[in-house]
Amino acid sequence: MISDTAAALVLFSGGQDSATCLAYALDRYDRVETIGFFYGQRHAVELDCREPLRAAIARERPWRGELGADHLLDIAGALTALGETAMTSAIQITTTEAGLPNTFVPGRNLLFLTYAAALAYRRGLGVLVGGMCETDYSGYPDCRRSTMAAMQAALALGLDRPITIDTPLMDRDKAATWRLAEALGGRELVEIVRVASHSCYKGERDVLHDWGYGCGDCPACALRASGWFRYVAPGNMDE
Ligand code: ZN
């Protein structure tokens, strides 16, 4: 099977970024499938959100792309064996000496992209769409543009087939990501992402804030909330 450059595999975790990436892919590509990973997350909430979120986005408007299969890969055994982090065990989320949150699994996105590329090859999908971005200063070196360019080259060589890594959020901060959702699917899509996606590291879904569900004080909630408030009132804070 030849990889189709009009067909995309979206790295879809169920968070704000990947929800926006799914809408972007449905707007841009003819055939779209999704992949998610179970890597030993402390909370399955994000994964539980994936299917309803996927369905709601697909229903939101008549997109160019047809939404095909969802694939969930369980790689928890390997990642857990690589070492304990705050995401996979009950320890406090803090910042490490390197300035990275200790939720960071080194090179995690490289692993995800490699698995995704192998699946895309089998499915004849020529594009990987991911929500990696350089703007939120979380300090994830495996999200940088230079890393993505090198990864795309390595995957194409290793698979002996061209593959594109499309990262629509690379230059967008969280406020700009909300604006992209609005541009793609109007306020209706923004509302779907706000209510049905999940970003909170602590898996909290009891309280619906203006910016969505979450504990309100973990790093993921703080980032999401500040982006939301800059999106709804861009004059109030510096971009
Ligand atoms: Zn939170």
Side-chain angles (χ1 to χ4, degrees), residues 200-202 214-218 221:
C200 177
Y201 287 151
K202 295 179 181 172
C215 71
D217 42 51
C218 76
C221 283

Side-chain angles (χ1 to χ4, degrees), residues 120-136:
Y121 184 102
R122 287 284 173 84
R123 306 286 297 173
L125 307 164
V127 183
L128 303 178
V129 178
M132 301 81 182
C133 88
E134 288 187 327
T135 58
D136 65 16

Side-chain angles (χ1 to χ4, degrees), residues 3-232:
S3 295
D4 182 352
T5 56
L9 180 64
V10 180
L11 281 77
F12 185 73
S13 67
Q16 177 195 347
D17 291 347
S18 68
T20 308
C21 284
L22 177 56
Y24 166 89
L26 288 167
D27 182 65
R28 192 177 184 91
Y29 299 104
D30 293 337
R31 190 159 61 90
V32 176
E33 299 187 9
T34 51
I35 183 171
F37 298 94
F38 178 70
Y39 53 88
Q41 293 95 320
R42 286 195 297 183
H43 306 284
V45 173
E46 201 180 54
L47 294 177
D48 292 343
C49 288
R50 291 175 76 253
E51 192 46 48
L53 179 58
R54 236 176 70 92
I57 293 169
R59 273 197 311 268
E60 203 272 321
R61 60 174 50 198
W63 301 101
R64 166 180 168 174
E66 188 182 330
L67 183 57
D70 181 40
H71 312 270
L72 188 62
L73 259 58
D74 183 348
I75 55 170
L79 285 198
T80 305
L82 284 171
E84 302 236 326
T85 75
M87 285 299 259
T88 54
S89 66
I91 59 172
Q92 195 80 34
I93 296 171
T94 58
T95 302
T96 65
E97 292 160 23
L100 296 168
N102 66 350
T103 52
F104 181 69
V105 177
R108 196 178 75 185
N109 279 305
L110 304 182
L111 297 173
F112 289 173
L113 285 164
T114 304
Y115 282 114
L119 181 75
Y121 184 102
R122 287 284 173 84
R123 306 286 297 173
L125 307 164
V127 183
L128 303 178
V129 178
M132 301 81 182
C133 88
E134 288 187 327
T135 58
D136 65 16
Y137 303 111
S138 291
Y140 294 104
D142 59 344
C143 290
R144 292 176 189 153
R145 182 186 303 283
S146 51
T147 306
M148 290 304 109
M151 195 66 189
Q152 178 176 290
L155 291 171
L157 286 169
L159 297 171
D160 197 21
R161 184 182 290 185
I163 188 159
T164 301
I165 302 178
D166 186 354
T167 54
L169 308 185
M170 183 57 74
D171 298 317
R172 290 183 161 96
D173 65 9
K174 295 289 181 205
T177 299
W178 286 114
R179 287 197 295 274
L180 176 61
E182 185 177 337
L184 289 165
R187 286 302 180 107
E188 297 80 6
L189 181 63
V190 170
E191 184 61 10
I192 288 168
V193 176
R194 187 181 80 91
V195 174
S197 75
H198 184 88
S199 305
C200 177
Y201 287 151
K202 295 179 181 172
E204 195 63 61
R205 276 191 86 74
D206 291 338
V207 181
L208 179 61
H209 305 272
D210 290 345
W211 42 269
Y213 288 99
C215 71
D217 42 51
C218 76
C221 283
L223 194 62
R224 180 164 166 150
S226 85
W228 173 263
F229 290 119
R230 279 180 288 120
Y231 161 65
V232 293

